[in-house]
Amino acid sequence: MTPTQLRAFAAVVRLGSVKHAAADLQVSEAAVSLHIGQLRRELGDRLFVRTSSGLAFTPGGLRLASRATELLNLQDRTIIEVRQAGGGRRLLRVATEALFAEHAAPGLIELFADRANDLDVELSSHDPRRFESLLLTRAVDAVIGPRPASVDASIVSTHFLNYQVVAVAAPDHPITRLQPGINALREQTWLLGPSAAYQTGVIPDILRRVNVPEDHQRIFQSSAAAVDEAKRGKGLALAVSFAVAQDLVHGDLRRVSLQAQGTWSILTLTAQQAPPAAAELARFVTTPRAIQAMLRGSGVTVGHFKPSIHVTLWT
């Protein structure tokens, strides 16, 4: 098996057709079919068959799909590590959910990265439902966010922080003069950050509890942008309490009688499988100094913090 063959098969699995896989890989359909045929002959398995409803994978094809992703990610990681070793540097890849990435990650990652001169930290934001697969395929070294309901036995989870999400509005918004019930809350315009698009997490849970219609939800690039709209009287925003504490003190926002508690955990592979830097981050994240950095920041410089970028690199 070659990486090219595995990449072609992985694209077919991901996209559900040879045609779409060829377009994604920017090669001809004949080239993809050739690679699939070579895999079939070498493994002695049809891997998948075409049906009226799409592709149906054999048990062997499903097993190869899992292994192909793992092997390709291992190859990519090996290339990165070899290049880093030549330059005397290490890379720690951390995946988080959007709420943590915006409000707590900058202070934590800045402080952690500054402890080692040879460490680069790459931060990316993902749907929490992908956390387990990201770790098991070694696409990332650690994930931070809400703990999944169940995790694979090879994954270690460490809880480190509880936080409050509160509903806020402009001081002159009519809702702040009421003790609104669920029906009144449901009829408001809700100004939300990107985590509202997830299926899991504290903010999606609140939206389901209130049963907010989709046409009453406006999702912004960041929670901060949603809060800014709330300050202008455009609706209600859901915000992490420590992120809007000063706005509440200064009277720029007022709380609405709705809140919920969220939790953040760090997940890594077991000690035998996790990179040393990931295991060290899992220990560091529970320390008082790290907690303070998450809640208050650590003096992040403009050059290091790029909140609108999907992947951020600390050096």
Side-chain angles (χ1 to χ4, degrees):
M1 289 183 293
T2 68
T4 302
Q5 293 168 354
L6 292 175
R7 209 172 298 279
F9 182 72
V12 171
V13 173
R14 187 175 76 253
L15 299 172
S17 79
V18 171
K19 179 180 179 179
H20 292 153
D24 183 68
L25 296 172
Q26 297 183 329
V27 299
S28 67
E29 291 183 46
V32 173
S33 296
L34 175 64
H35 294 315
I36 299 300
Q38 291 169 334
L39 286 173
R40 283 170 165 164
R41 287 191 294 273
E42 181 174 351
L43 298 173
D45 192 298
R46 296 186 69 185
L47 302 180
F48 62 84
V49 295
R50 290 179 173 86
T51 70
S52 58
S53 58
L55 301 182
F57 290 86
T58 67
L62 293 174
R63 179 61 60 89
L64 179 61
S66 173
R67 289 285 187 241
T69 301
E70 183 177 342
L71 289 169
L72 290 170
N73 282 323
L74 184 59
Q75 178 194 31
D76 293 341
R77 178 175 174 179
T78 301
I79 292 171
I80 292 171
E81 290 178 346
V82 169
R83 289 174 177 170
Q84 288 175 334
R89 301 200 63 79
R90 298 175 292 152
L91 176 65
L92 175 64
R93 299 163 303 165
V94 180
T96 77
E97 51 108 12
L99 210 58
F100 184 88
E102 180 175 353
H103 296 299
L108 171 68
I109 301 303
E110 180 79 7
L111 186 63
F112 182 74
D114 282 349
R115 301 166 74 244
N117 293 329
D118 66 337
L119 180 66
D120 296 331
V121 180
E122 180 185 88
L123 181 73
S124 56
S125 178
H126 298 270
D127 187 326
R129 291 180 299 176
R130 297 190 58 210
F131 281 177
E132 184 175 32
S133 65
L134 288 170
L135 281 174
L136 293 178
T137 59
R138 291 172 171 78
V140 300
D141 305 308
V143 298
I144 298 177
R147 186 186 187 279
S150 61
V151 294
D152 189 84
S154 63
I155 294 176
V156 177
S157 173
T158 303
H159 168 260
F160 61 86
L161 187 64
N162 295 328
Y163 64 95
Q164 292 286 330
V165 168
V166 296
V168 294
D172 57 353
H173 193 290
I175 200 76
T176 62
R177 296 189 289 272
L178 306 172
Q179 288 293 325
I182 292 295
N183 290 336
L185 291 170
R186 187 179 299 128
E187 296 305 313
Q188 304 302 312
T189 297
W190 291 74
L191 311 169
L192 307 161
S195 59
Y198 299 154
Q199 295 298 311
T200 59
V202 62
I203 288 182
D205 286 346
I206 291 174
L207 296 175
R208 281 192 292 268
R209 191 206 317 172
V210 180
N211 195 23
V212 180
E214 285 193 9
D215 59 357
H216 286 201
Q217 300 178 34
R218 295 177 58 198
I219 298 181
F220 293 79
Q221 183 183 20
S222 67
S223 294
V227 169
D228 284 342
E229 282 293 283
K231 291 178 182 177
R232 300 185 185 101
K234 303 297 185 179
L236 306 186
L238 292 173
V240 176
S241 59
F242 65 78
V244 295
Q246 291 303 309
D247 291 317
L248 293 170
V249 169
H250 295 151
D252 297 323
L253 291 168
R254 288 190 63 181
R255 286 184 57 169
V256 179
S257 57
L258 179 68
Q259 65 179 42
Q261 179 175 288
T263 63
W264 283 323
S265 298
I266 182 168
L267 289 79
T268 64
L269 296 175
T270 57
Q272 296 79 7
Q273 302 180 68
E280 175 59 23
L281 178 62
R283 291 189 292 270
F284 178 73
V285 77
T286 62
T287 64
R289 189 179 179 203
I291 299 297
Q292 180 177 352
M294 286 182 270
L295 298 179
R296 303 179 184 176
S298 64
V300 181
T301 62
V302 171
H304 280 75
F305 182 39
K306 306 176 181 67
S308 64
I309 306 299
H310 175 69
V311 175
T312 303
L313 186 67
W314 275 262
T315 299

